[in-house]
Amino acid sequence: MKTKKTITDNTVDPDILAYTVGDDPVLDRDLVVWDCMGTAAHVTMLARMRLKTPVVTKAEAKAVCTELAHIVDEHRKGKFSIKVEDQDVHMAVERVLTERLGDLGKKIHTGRSRNDQVAVDVRLHIADELIGLGDEFLDLAEALVEFGAEHDRVPLVGRTHLQPAMPSSVGVWATGHAEMVLAQCHNLKAAHDMNDACPLGSAAGYGVPLPLDRRLTAKLLGFSRTIHNVFGASMARGENEACVLSLCAQLMAVLSRLAEDLILFSMPEFGYFKLPREYCTGSSIMPQKFNPDVLELVRSKAAQVLGLSTAALSLLHAMPGGYNRDLQDCKGLYMKGLSITRTTLRILTKVVEGLAVDADRCRAAFTPGVFATDVALRKVAEGTPWRDAYHQVRDHLELLNGEDPDQAVAAKKHEGTTAGLSYNHYYSAIGDGRLDVDTWRKTLYGSLEKLLGQ
Ligand code: ARG
């Protein structure tokens, strides 16, 4: 009786197989498009290799690409499945190509290993995710800047140690948080740059005795360069995901601080901001409750993403050089980290867009002490040395009077303070960020379109 061979002629114990395959059949669904794209570039390159007997002809490479495009279509319609027997997306795609194209399907893996294959899939997937992440975090920055512009000069007590400190404004508060989000553009660009190198052609991590044109595949896939060293290319897997996770962890820490401010300033005791009712959740026992659960969960998600980032680095630090199966577990970590971060960005944008300001409560919070530094500085303007002025005010705090918060806000005019904010500065930073993300988008989707007509 003829038995049907699986691609790797599997003799592995079913329990061991299930354990080693892990979540790949589910997680790898997110890699189907990118696996097909990587394979399209690889076969296109194989067909251009100068050999006495070509591995595949140009016509055959075209036939493979057409079939890969069908697989992507089927996947988008939910009709492509990865079976446990396949182990992962790579073997599922090869199985289907072989079922449909016969011997031609069996040739596509020539000169390639699943190690460089998955590494390139992950990089393409990350490139796609960073485009979405970039859009989303620029959206949040924009929502904060717009909120700031709308309530620019509304006085807000500036705090240090959470204690009332000095006159500030809603504009400074909102664009300050926008500034924190925008600073992460540096990390986003760094993550993109690190990711923008092609490992394909490194095979199992040691190359192959075939004249692979690694620069061609890198170019076809839209990468700006190859990872030159084959062994380095195999070790770069995981490092790259850890870099993305560290971006996510830092960004989540920024978002968590924003969430914490919103929780505080919207609680009844402060009452500066008001969350829309429909963004708050109630209690099963206390009818009066409108809780900011959504913001509390931002805090907890920040902790989770930090954990994922730590998990990735922990997984890497003890591994010897070359491919090790540990790397497979990095996949779920970075996918989860990106997914949490992206959802959180979208949710926070919505929250900021729905936020209302109670300007009266903001003004009412200005206790006399908030003006203490301004009073001392007025003494300086009259010729008193700063330290003397400071002591004169500190020794007689009971003499401080309430002042006009709006005047105090208008009096600070230097760069970046209450009356010295440049909204153009933020709009141009957001615009620059959008230009970068658009360039990445054109490159990646342009390459996808050329290879698979998608
Ligand atoms: N699913 C595997 C992973 O993500 C693919 C690579 C398998 N390579 C190997 N040498 N076993 O790592």
Side-chain angles (χ1 to χ4, degrees):
M1 205 177 82
K2 260 194 174 173
T3 53
K4 216 175 163 204
K5 280 187 191 168
T6 62
I7 288 167
T8 51
D9 219 353
N10 228 322
T11 51
V12 181
D13 174 278
D15 294 332
I16 304 296
L17 182 67
Y19 190 76
T20 53
V21 167
D23 296 330
D24 267 15
V26 178
L27 297 176
D28 279 15
R29 280 193 222 141
D30 285 355
L31 299 180
V32 173
V33 175
W34 313 115
D35 196 70
C36 290
M37 184 178 173
T39 298
H42 184 65
V43 284
T44 304
M45 184 276 294
L46 288 180
R48 290 196 210 170
M49 237 168 29
R50 287 171 199 279
L51 290 174
K52 262 200 203 132
T53 323
V55 178
V56 291
T57 64
K58 286 191 175 150
E60 286 174 324
K62 231 176 153 195
V64 171
C65 291
T66 306
E67 212 40 62
L68 287 165
H70 286 157
I71 294 176
V72 170
D73 280 341
E74 285 160 17
H75 163 70
R76 292 208 162 121
K77 290 179 188 141
K79 287 184 189 148
F80 180 80
S81 62
I82 303 165
K83 302 175 182 153
V84 178
E85 307 85 81
D86 293 325
Q87 296 191 30
D88 47 37
V89 63
H90 325 299
M91 303 227 269
V93 170
E94 185 175 327
R95 170 179 57 75
V96 172
L97 286 177
T98 307
E99 281 164 10
R100 295 179 187 173
L101 300 171
D103 280 355
L104 178 55
K106 297 185 199 160
K107 293 180 180 177
I108 56 151
H109 206 57
T110 310
R112 189 174 64 170
S113 154
R114 274 183 299 160
N115 299 352
D116 61 337
Q117 187 177 1
V118 62
V120 86
D121 290 8
V122 164
R123 278 175 187 254
L124 292 169
H125 180 239
I126 287 176
D128 180 46
E129 290 281 324
L130 291 182
I131 292 167
L133 182 77
D135 285 340
E136 285 151 359
F137 93 64
L138 291 164
D139 287 347
L140 175 63
E142 200 168 308
L144 282 163
V145 170
E146 245 137 52
F147 178 78
E150 195 184 334
H151 307 284
D152 181 38
R153 297 287 176 95
V154 173
L156 189 72
V157 171
R159 293 172 184 274
T160 65
H161 313 266
L162 265 189
Q163 303 293 317
M166 288 183 77
S168 184
S169 64
V170 174
V172 164
W173 176 86
T175 54
H177 280 288
E179 189 106 31
M180 299 293 291
V181 174
L182 286 170
Q184 291 302 318
C185 272
H186 297 290
N187 285 328
L188 176 71
K189 280 197 218 166
H192 176 271
D193 189 38
M194 180 151 175
N195 187 59
D196 188 22
C198 188
L200 198 60
S202 57
Y206 303 98
V208 285
L210 284 173
L212 302 181
D213 187 346
R214 295 192 55 213
R215 295 203 177 166
L216 174 62
T217 41
K219 196 168 159 223
L220 290 172
L221 293 168
F223 289 102
S224 70
R225 61 191 193 276
T226 61
I227 302 177
H228 178 67
N229 182 299
V230 287
F231 182 54
S234 78
M235 287 193 288
R237 182 162 176 220
E239 300 291 343
N240 190 46
E241 290 91 309
C243 173
V244 170
L245 277 168
S246 109
L247 159 70
C248 290
Q250 290 196 49
L251 188 51
M252 286 299 292
V254 168
L255 304 186
S256 184
R257 289 183 80 181
L258 169 62
E260 183 59 27
D261 268 7
L262 290 173
I263 292 172
L264 279 172
F265 293 164
S266 64
M267 67 194 267
E269 288 78 353
F270 284 87
Y272 304 160
F273 300 152
K274 227 174 161 59
L275 291 170
R277 264 203 178 183
E278 63 274 21
Y279 292 4
C280 299
T281 40
S283 151
S284 61
I285 176 172
M286 297 166 281
Q288 86 284 13
K289 293 280 261 169
F290 295 96
N291 298 322
D293 298 36
V294 62
L295 297 169
E296 293 155 29
L297 286 164
V298 170
R299 268 191 324 225
S300 94
K301 304 278 181 234
Q304 280 184 51
V305 175
L306 179 59
L308 292 165
S309 168
T310 309
L313 287 171
S314 314
L315 179 157
L316 289 171
H317 91 279
M319 257 196 325
Y323 176 86
N324 300 275
R325 194 66 178 262
D326 316 37
L327 287 170
Q328 178 175 283
D329 273 345
C330 233
K331 193 155 47 186
L333 300 177
Y334 91 82
M335 285 179 172
K336 190 162 185 200
L338 275 167
S339 155
I340 295 176
T341 308
R342 293 189 56 188
T343 319
T344 304
L345 282 165
R346 292 195 294 268
I347 281 292
L348 271 178
T349 302
K350 195 173 164 133
V351 169
V352 170
E353 283 168 354
L355 211 58
V357 174
D358 186 336
D360 293 338
R361 290 289 304 269
C362 288
R363 288 194 179 88
F366 278 72
T367 50
V370 177
F371 302 98
T373 310
D374 291 6
V375 172
L377 283 169
R378 284 204 292 268
K379 291 181 187 288
V380 169
E382 285 153 13
T384 314
W386 164 254
R387 193 52 63 205
D388 293 338
Y390 169 91
H391 283 297
Q392 285 167 21
V393 176
R394 188 170 178 89
D395 291 347
H396 294 285
L397 291 174
E398 73 285 356
L399 297 180
L400 288 171
N401 289 316
E403 297 189 15
D404 180 0
D406 292 274
Q407 256 178 31
V409 163
K412 291 200 271 195
K413 298 195 176 82
H414 66 72
E415 178 178 341
T417 185
T418 43
L421 278 179
S422 159
Y423 283 88
N424 277 342
H425 163 83
Y426 294 106
Y427 287 121
S428 92
I430 292 167
D432 289 349
R434 298 233 187 256
L435 280 180
D436 283 331
V437 176
D438 280 341
T439 307
W440 305 345
R441 193 182 342 260
K442 277 187 200 130
T443 305
L444 180 66
Y445 303 148
S447 309
L448 179 62
E449 154 101 52
K450 273 194 204 136
L451 283 166
L452 292 176
Q454 296 289 320

